[in-house]
Amino acid sequence: SLLSKASPQDAWPPCPLIILYSDNINETQRRVEASGGKIAKKIFAFPVVADFDFIDPAGNQLAVWTGAT
């Protein structure tokens, strides 16, 4: 499964986490899942931003963030 692969945090040499921006984080998460992505960290809201992490079908971990929700 994609989630059983080593995460970028375990990789050596370390690799960057690509962070994407979305105006509609809920819709973006829905589309990620519909396209075969696996959610690694559900949407987490901070005081002025929210983000989530996912693993794409190729096994790459990425993040999506948005401004105040």
Side-chain angles (χ1 to χ4, degrees):
S1 104
L2 293 176
L3 295 177
S4 66
K5 293 184 178 181
S7 70
Q9 294 83 4
D10 298 330
W12 188 257
C15 57
L17 175 63
I18 305 300
I19 302 172
L20 309 170
Y21 176 81
S22 172
D23 285 329
N24 186 335
I25 199 165
N26 293 307
E27 177 65 13
T28 301
Q29 181 174 314
R30 186 193 69 73
R31 288 180 177 206
V32 163
E33 292 175 299
S35 299
K38 304 294 182 191
I39 303 304
K41 185 182 85 172
K42 294 181 181 182
I43 294 175
F44 184 81
F46 297 95
V48 294
V49 298
D51 73 346
F52 73 92
D53 294 2
F54 70 96
I55 300 173
D56 72 11
N60 303 298
Q61 186 167 350
L62 299 103
V64 177
W65 78 277
T66 192
T69 57

